[in-house]
Amino acid sequence: MLGHEFTDPTLLERALTHASATAPGGVDNERMEFLGDRVLGLVIADALIERFPSATEGEMAPRLNKLVRRETCAQVARGLEIGAFLRLAPSEERQGGRDKTAILANAMEAVIAALYLDGGLEVARQFILKNWSGPFDAVTQVPRDSKTVLQELLHARGLSHPVYRTIARAGSDHAPVFTVEVDGGEAGIARADGASKRAAEQAAAAALIADLENTNDN
């Protein structure tokens, strides 16, 4: 699955251990997630420099953000069926933890850290480049985030900036779900959920954009 035979298998075991599966103070994958996030960012940034030699920093930054964001990490984890190998508390598993975006993304970053610690940067780099090939193809064009697009649409109509409000927070500390409402004034209001406030804001902006496009089509 990972294309690497671990010299120290406990590194992989730890990378797949969610905090819910350990006693307080026990060993889980949170510290490895922290390291894996940095390794992923370095490898992706280096690959972007190589693949887009004439791109400016302003053009590469949104590509980097899209490639390292939680949703992309979870997408790769699902492709590798990481969820099936996670160590979760029974309560977390009953709540669908094996397919939660936040849990999968964190585990994916922890696995990257395990590969780095066991095999070095080149092993981690090869793994990332292979499994992020699809997401890389999706950023050939500079991605534009939904919040920016919505703001431009509202300004084009002579309206003010959209206002975002976090109206609810559910789930556990390790896998929260935020509900955000975006108020576009005369353009309307939309709500959406996300695993982070940022993700929920982006989703709410996308929902309002879709409402505006549907209105225009009608």
Side-chain angles (χ1 to χ4, degrees):
M1 178 179 70
L2 301 180
H4 175 71
E5 185 173 346
F6 278 81
T7 302
D8 182 0
T10 62
L11 289 170
L12 181 58
E13 180 181 343
R14 179 177 177 184
L16 296 171
T17 301
H18 185 251
S20 67
T22 66
V27 177
D28 56 44
N29 64 7
E30 291 184 353
R31 285 174 59 86
M32 295 185 75
E33 170 209 340
F34 174 82
L35 174 60
D37 177 63
R38 275 66 186 174
V39 175
L40 175 63
L42 171 63
V43 171
I44 295 295
D46 183 60
L48 287 171
I49 291 289
E50 181 178 346
R51 294 187 184 208
F52 303 100
S54 61
T56 66
E57 185 276 339
E59 292 171 334
M60 288 191 295
R63 289 185 171 109
L64 175 65
N65 291 338
K66 186 174 180 64
L67 289 167
V68 303
R69 65 190 296 186
R70 179 178 292 182
E71 291 78 5
T72 302
C73 291
Q75 173 190 336
V76 174
R78 289 188 179 99
L80 293 169
E81 299 183 350
I82 293 292
F85 301 94
L86 292 174
R87 294 181 61 198
L88 301 171
S91 58
E92 187 63 67
E93 184 161 7
R94 286 193 296 271
Q95 295 173 18
R98 293 191 185 279
D99 194 48
K100 286 184 178 179
T101 294
I103 291 177
L104 288 173
N106 293 347
M108 188 73 267
E109 290 174 342
V111 166
I112 289 171
L115 290 167
Y116 169 75
L117 292 170
D118 194 73
L121 181 59
E122 185 58 22
V123 167
R125 188 179 78 87
Q126 291 299 330
F127 170 82
I128 292 167
L129 294 181
K130 175 183 177 181
N131 290 285
W132 261 256
S133 59
F136 259 109
D137 290 341
V139 297
T140 300
Q141 301 297 322
V142 179
R144 303 180 69 217
D145 67 84
S146 297
K147 291 179 67 175
T148 299
V149 173
L150 177 61
Q151 183 169 305
E152 292 175 353
L153 286 174
L154 296 185
H155 285 179
R157 297 180 178 211
L159 302 175
S160 60
H161 292 294
V163 177
Y164 296 87
R165 305 184 187 90
T166 301
I167 60 175
R169 183 189 186 284
S172 66
D173 290 340
H174 301 293
V177 176
F178 295 89
T179 300
V180 166
E181 177 181 273
V182 57
D183 186 347
E186 295 179 12
I189 294 174
R191 290 184 181 182
D193 297 333
S196 67
K197 288 183 180 179
R198 179 184 179 281
E201 288 176 354
Q202 292 286 351
L208 186 52
I209 291 169
D211 290 344
L212 294 175
E213 290 175 343
N214 289 335
T215 300
N216 290 338
D217 291 341
N218 296 332

